[in-house]
Amino acid sequence: MATQQGIPSSALRALEEALGMGSTAAGDTAEAVAAEGAYYLEQVTVTEASEDDYEYEEIPDDNYSIPEGEEDLAKAVQMVQEQATDIQILEQKTVLSSKHAVPEAIEDFLCNFLIKMGMTRTLDCFQSEWYELIQNGVTELRGGGHVPDVYTQNMLLENENKILKKDLKHYKQAADKARADLLKTQKERDFHRMHHKRTVQEKDKLINDLKGLKLHYASYEPTLRVLYEKHHALLKQKMLTSLERDRAVEQISGLQETLKHMEIGHSFHAPEIRVVPNCEKENAPEGPTQKGLREAREQSKCKTKIKVNRKDSEFPTDMQPNPNLCLCKENICPAKFDYKLNNIFRLHELPVSCIITHPRKDILISCGEDRVWKVVGLPKGNVLLTGLGHTDWLSDCCFHPSGSKLATSSGDTTVKLWDLSKGNCILTFEGHTHAVWSCTWHSCGDFVASSSLDTTSKIWDVNSERCRCTLYGHTDSVNSIEFFPCSNILLTGSADKSLSAWDARTGKCEQSLYGHMHSINDATFTPRGHMIASCDACGVTKLWDFRKLLPIVSIDVGPSPGNEVNFDSSGQVLAQASGNGVIHLLDLKSGQIHKLMGHESEAHTVVFSHDGETLFSGDSDGTIRTWS
């Protein structure tokens, strides 16, 4: 019995040493195994003796002696310390699953190992001897401690690896979604940034439009003042007319009472009725109504006599060559652009509407909305002559080819001809139903053409004093009219955005030019006549080839309106008067645009001197500026 009790304990120690567990580190290793978890054997079945009659020999304890070289205590202590350090590192850095793992016992580990290796005979031998020892009480079931199961640890690590891969997949999906959201946000940012820029541009455009409207509104104030004066004048005239009417009614009622008394036969002293000679009638006093009627009869008689005696003028068939064709030579003089403000003349109380220079003398004529035109001497700017006669604002004027007469157009629907030597009106053309915007002389001097707000243009015969032809075709106001140099061709510019060329002899439209997007304010020929310049209400200036009737170039200096365009005598420079007070000079050779800044308000008109050394511009404040 004693022998049987000693064998299992020595065998257990040998197994512990074979598993690498020393007697000194057994307790520490058991605690590490308990931390990792193990499996417990709940039920044990002792098998019967092996069928083969093999007898196993007992192994004495003396054979299990510690080999030489392994009795070093320092190495064993160092090994235990290293294992303890490794366990602490694993506990600090390794995150295991929260599921509690039960450590596996030594005997179960050996059984499992033998089963896996297929060592059935060894397994039967081990189980018979081991459980026999347990039944005899030689050893206890849990005395051998626990053995860590590497496979269990591998399974735990695999589960953790799967969880980490799953988390990685989720993180990748989240990263992809975040990337897509970032791209979407960047696109939205770019869209809002572009929208903000467009809004800023629209705001700047609206600010410019408001400034233009303010300037435009300021230009209306003088016109309202003129209308207010006209209103007062009409009220005064109405009052005078009502007084004359009351006086006439009293005279008529007195005559009726006298006739009634004569019919009844009452005795009364009737006044003497006698025939007065013509000389006495002229000396007798007469009222304003009788005086106006007498003057109207005399004027109508004079006009009928003149019209009977005078015949219609004939349009010239053999036209003289254009004297400006000699300017085509490029060696005349270089174009000038370095104009500087030289002087300012205040000539009108209201805006200046037109400026023209005399063909041969150093004088210019200015027309204003104060119903007055003035002849100004150059370079001092002294007023030589003032013309009065129109009842409304003046819009345009033009010299007779000889320079001795002047034609003016006005808002009172008339065109007047003036003798510059005396300063009096010699002829008035009436026929337009609305304001007349522009007028021009024919090169022969016998015809005057005018354009009006009533969408028509008229050609007037100076000799027969009547309208020879009315030009129909435009659908809106005709703002500009000009004769082609030394020709019977008329050019008109209209608010219906078109230019038209007319034959003055037949009154038919020969050609129309389209291209402007807004109302055309002015159009003119070059001195040579080969090119047309036109400007519209949004500041766009266009050049047209008159021979081919095709557009050449379009220059946008808007949004302020272009009020007037004019060429210099060489035809190399085009000047435009703009609504923002800037005078634009266009070099037709290089295409460069030069600006003259000096107007305080809207520039209405611009014209060159004949030598091109001086430039004159009219302002809405009633002043004329000279540039040289």
Side-chain angles (χ1 to χ4, degrees):
M1 238 4 229
T3 308
Q4 292 179 356
Q5 291 178 357
I7 294 172
S9 60
S10 62
L12 181 60
R13 287 196 302 271
L15 286 172
E16 289 176 353
E17 291 176 357
L19 291 172
M21 300 171 64
S23 60
T24 307
D28 297 335
T29 308
E31 291 177 1
V33 172
E36 294 177 357
Y39 295 96
Y40 293 91
L41 185 63
E42 296 180 356
Q43 185 176 0
V44 178
T45 304
V46 180
T47 58
E48 296 179 355
S50 178
E51 295 179 356
D52 53 351
D53 296 330
Y54 182 80
E55 294 181 359
Y56 294 92
E57 296 180 357
E58 293 181 357
I59 301 175
D61 293 338
D62 299 334
N63 294 335
Y64 289 92
S65 60
I66 298 175
E68 294 181 0
E70 293 184 3
E71 298 178 355
D72 192 357
L73 180 61
K75 288 185 178 180
V77 173
Q78 185 180 359
M79 184 184 299
V80 172
Q81 290 177 355
E82 289 178 357
Q83 288 179 359
T85 304
D86 294 337
I87 290 171
Q88 291 178 1
I89 294 173
L90 289 174
E91 287 178 354
Q92 292 176 0
K93 295 185 178 181
T94 305
V95 180
L96 299 178
S97 177
S98 61
K99 183 178 178 181
H100 179 70
V102 181
E104 188 178 16
I106 295 175
E107 61 273 15
D108 296 332
F109 174 79
L110 291 175
C111 292
N112 292 333
F113 175 76
L114 295 175
I115 290 170
K116 289 179 182 180
M117 298 302 296
M119 301 169 66
T120 57
R121 288 183 298 174
T122 308
L123 177 63
D124 294 339
C125 181
F126 172 74
Q127 286 180 346
S128 61
E129 188 175 359
W130 178 259
Y131 290 110
E132 184 180 356
L133 292 174
I134 292 174
Q135 288 178 358
N136 294 329
V138 178
T139 181
E140 295 181 358
L141 184 63
R142 300 183 181 272
H146 303 101
V147 177
D149 192 352
V150 179
Y151 301 102
T152 305
Q153 185 71 17
N154 289 338
M155 289 175 64
L156 294 174
L157 293 175
E158 286 178 1
N159 291 332
E160 185 179 359
N161 192 15
K162 288 180 181 179
I163 294 172
L164 292 176
K165 287 183 178 179
K166 188 175 181 180
D167 293 340
L168 179 61
K169 184 177 180 181
H170 289 316
Y171 292 151
K172 285 184 177 179
Q173 291 177 355
D176 294 337
K177 184 178 179 182
R179 188 181 295 107
D181 292 341
L182 177 62
L183 293 175
K184 183 179 178 181
T185 306
Q186 288 177 349
K187 290 181 180 178
E188 291 178 354
R189 180 201 63 188
D190 296 337
F191 171 79
H192 290 298
R193 183 179 295 170
M194 183 177 64
H195 182 68
H196 174 70
K197 290 182 180 178
R198 183 167 62 248
T199 306
V200 170
Q201 292 176 357
E202 290 176 357
K203 183 193 74 173
D204 295 338
K205 184 179 178 182
L206 288 175
I207 290 173
N208 293 330
D209 292 341
L210 287 174
K211 291 181 181 177
L213 288 175
K214 286 181 180 178
L215 294 174
H216 192 59
Y217 173 76
S219 66
Y220 276 115
E221 293 181 354
T223 306
L224 293 175
R225 201 179 306 121
V226 172
L227 292 175
Y228 185 78
E229 294 175 0
K230 283 182 65 177
H231 177 66
H232 277 277
L234 289 174
L235 288 178
K236 292 179 182 178
Q237 188 176 358
K238 180 182 178 182
M239 188 179 298
L240 294 174
T241 305
S242 63
L243 292 174
E244 291 179 3
R245 183 195 62 188
D246 295 338
R247 194 178 302 158
V249 168
E250 289 178 359
Q251 292 178 359
I252 291 172
S253 61
L255 291 173
Q256 287 177 353
E257 289 179 0
T258 303
L259 290 174
K260 193 180 294 183
H261 286 297
M262 290 176 64
E263 289 174 357
I264 295 174
H266 292 287
S267 59
F268 67 96
H269 297 284
E272 250 181 287
I273 301 174
R274 58 196 180 101
V275 179
V276 182
N278 292 333
C279 60
E280 292 182 2
K281 283 184 180 180
E282 291 176 358
N283 296 327
E286 58 182 359
T289 305
Q290 289 81 3
K291 185 178 179 181
L293 291 173
R294 180 176 57 78
E295 290 178 354
R297 291 193 194 99
E298 291 177 357
Q299 288 180 2
S300 62
K301 288 179 182 179
C302 294
K303 285 183 179 181
T304 52
K305 289 180 181 178
I306 293 172
K307 289 182 180 178
V308 170
N309 295 332
R310 295 188 179 182
K311 296 181 180 180
D312 290 339
S313 303
E314 296 292 335
F315 283 96
T317 55
D318 298 332
M319 299 297 298
Q320 296 294 328
N322 186 0
N324 295 318
L325 291 176
C326 61
L327 298 177
C328 63
K329 299 178 181 179
E330 297 184 359
N331 56 358
I332 298 174
C333 60
K336 182 178 179 180
F337 300 99
D338 55 344
Y339 291 98
K340 294 182 179 180
L341 184 60
N342 186 20
N343 206 344
I344 299 177
F345 306 138
R346 181 168 292 279
L347 300 176
H348 298 274
E349 297 179 357
L350 294 179
V352 179
S353 57
C354 178
I355 300 174
I356 57 172
T357 56
H358 195 276
R360 284 176 290 277
K361 299 180 181 179
D362 290 334
I363 60 174
L364 62 83
I365 291 184
S366 67
C367 298
E369 294 184 8
D370 54 0
R371 298 171 285 183
V372 177
W373 58 268
K374 295 183 180 181
V375 180
V376 182
L378 297 176
K380 296 182 179 180
N382 52 321
V383 179
L384 305 178
L385 185 63
T386 301
L388 296 170
H390 282 288
T391 59
D392 210 335
W393 44 269
L394 297 181
S395 58
D396 195 13
C397 60
C398 184
F399 273 114
H400 187 274
S402 64
S404 60
K405 297 177 183 178
L406 181 73
T408 57
S409 58
S410 170
D412 60 7
T413 71
T414 64
V415 176
K416 290 184 180 291
L417 304 185
W418 308 79
D419 185 357
L420 292 179
S421 61
K422 299 178 181 179
N424 57 343
C425 177
I426 58 177
L427 191 56
T428 301
F429 294 122
E430 298 177 352
H432 285 291
T433 59
H434 289 84
V436 183
W437 287 119
S438 181
C439 61
T440 180
W441 280 94
H442 193 281
S443 57
C444 67
D446 295 332
F447 301 96
V448 174
S450 61
S451 62
S452 172
L453 181 63
D454 59 9
T455 72
T456 65
S457 301
K458 292 181 180 293
I459 301 174
W460 310 90
D461 192 331
V462 178
N463 295 324
S464 62
E465 302 178 3
R466 71 181 187 91
C467 176
R468 288 286 298 274
C469 184
T470 301
L471 310 179
Y472 298 96
H474 287 292
T475 60
D476 207 338
S477 171
V478 186
N479 298 330
S480 172
I481 191 168
E482 185 173 340
F483 270 107
F484 184 81
C486 302
S487 173
N488 295 321
I489 297 176
L490 266 174
L491 175 68
T492 57
S494 171
D496 62 6
K497 311 170 189 176
S498 67
L499 296 170
S500 294
W502 308 78
D503 189 342
R505 296 168 295 185
T506 61
K508 293 182 178 180
C509 179
E510 299 295 336
Q511 188 69 35
S512 294
L513 303 176
Y514 301 95
H516 280 282
M517 302 300 294
H518 302 278
S519 171
I520 298 176
N521 290 338
D522 190 32
T524 184
F525 289 101
T526 57
R528 293 173 55 195
H530 68 291
M531 193 162 31
I532 299 172
S534 58
C535 62
D536 64 19
C538 270
V540 177
T541 300
K542 287 184 176 291
L543 297 178
W544 310 78
D545 189 339
F546 186 62
R547 293 168 294 188
K548 299 179 181 180
L549 297 175
L550 294 174
I552 300 175
V553 69
S554 179
I555 304 103
D556 188 357
V557 292
S560 300
N563 294 324
E564 186 174 291
V565 285
N566 264 314
F567 288 96
D568 67 343
S569 57
S570 65
Q572 302 177 14
V573 184
L574 176 67
Q576 183 214 52
S578 180
N580 58 1
V582 179
I583 305 297
H584 296 92
L585 301 179
L586 173 63
D587 187 356
L588 299 185
K589 286 188 176 181
S590 64
Q592 294 182 353
I593 299 176
H594 305 266
K595 294 183 180 180
L596 301 182
M597 313 290 288
H599 282 275
E600 297 179 357
S601 55
E602 186 174 359
H604 283 178
T605 179
V606 63
V607 66
F608 288 94
S609 62
H610 294 290
D611 56 3
E613 295 295 325
T614 310
L615 184 118
F616 306 96
S617 59
D619 199 293
S620 61
D621 59 1
T623 60
I624 293 178
R625 284 165 166 75
T626 62
W627 311 76
S628 59

